[in-house]
Amino acid sequence: MKTAILNKNDLNIDIKEQVSELFRQLSPNKIQLDLEEILNEKNQITVAFCEDNNKIIGIALMCTYKVISGNKGWIEDVVVDSDSRGKGIGRKLINLLVEAAEEKELSEILLFTEDHRLAAINLYSSVGFKPKDSKIYFKKNNKNYAQKP
């Protein structure tokens, strides 16, 4: 089993399909953007993955951005294959992203999880994430930019 950062030059059809299968476990009703778009050099994204026997069994993504208050990261789309959960893979992925954040000299890493995802909450707490005294607000755009024309 290995964890690593996925780069655009690592992509092939098989890897794209494996990542799509994982993403469907996390969000079966959402449309996934193409990995080549996500790994575009203009998009400040780090994709951590875990592979076992040539199969991707976990992914976690962190976008980075600069604002007046500092360099920040936001972790999203953390998913471990349902057959591989409970083996510490999520922890390895998050730790790899935390290492990447340190290399990028980020002042803060944010993430969001829903209240019912107790395993995720326990994982994030165990690696040092704490609840923030704030609320997340969102506004959906009327156009669905995730779909290709």
Side-chain angles (χ1 to χ4, degrees):
M1 185 180 319
K2 78 167 187 172
T3 55
I5 301 299
L6 184 66
N7 295 301
K8 190 172 184 176
N9 56 356
D10 297 327
L11 293 180
N12 60 42
I13 298 290
D14 191 40
I15 288 174
K16 287 181 178 183
E17 182 53 37
Q18 290 179 42
V19 169
S20 290
E21 286 177 27
L22 278 173
F23 184 74
R24 282 191 292 272
Q25 289 183 34
L26 178 67
S27 300
N29 299 321
K30 290 185 181 174
I31 296 170
Q32 178 192 329
L33 295 176
D34 183 78
L35 273 176
E36 289 196 37
E37 278 183 59
I38 293 165
L39 292 172
N40 181 312
E41 64 220 21
K42 293 179 184 176
N43 191 26
Q44 297 297 310
I45 194 84
T46 303
V47 179
F49 72 98
C50 182
E51 181 181 67
D52 191 29
N53 293 322
N54 295 317
K55 182 179 180 202
I56 296 177
I57 56 173
I59 57 169
L61 287 72
M62 181 177 65
C63 62
T64 56
Y65 56 98
K66 291 182 182 195
V67 290
I68 291 172
S69 57
N71 298 330
K72 306 214 176 175
W74 188 281
I75 293 177
E76 298 217 21
D77 300 334
V78 178
V79 62
V80 174
D81 183 76
S82 58
D83 293 333
S84 299
R85 293 181 186 156
K87 299 177 181 176
I89 295 165
R91 176 179 311 282
K92 289 179 183 182
L93 293 168
I94 296 300
N95 285 336
L96 187 57
L97 291 179
V98 168
E99 288 174 23
E102 289 171 1
E103 289 173 15
K104 295 173 185 275
E105 299 179 351
L106 301 184
S107 61
E108 184 175 46
I109 306 169
L110 305 163
L111 59 79
F112 166 79
T113 192
E114 296 167 345
D115 290 336
H116 71 277
R117 295 188 184 270
L118 297 179
I121 292 167
N122 289 334
L123 165 65
Y124 302 142
S125 296
S126 74
V127 294
F129 285 83
K130 298 186 181 343
K132 197 167 175 130
D133 292 329
S134 64
K135 296 255 184 207
I136 290 182
Y137 294 85
F138 74 97
K139 181 181 182 314
K140 291 239 181 210
N141 196 321
N142 291 335
K143 294 183 182 180
N144 188 350
Y145 292 106
Q147 292 182 358
K148 299 210 181 220

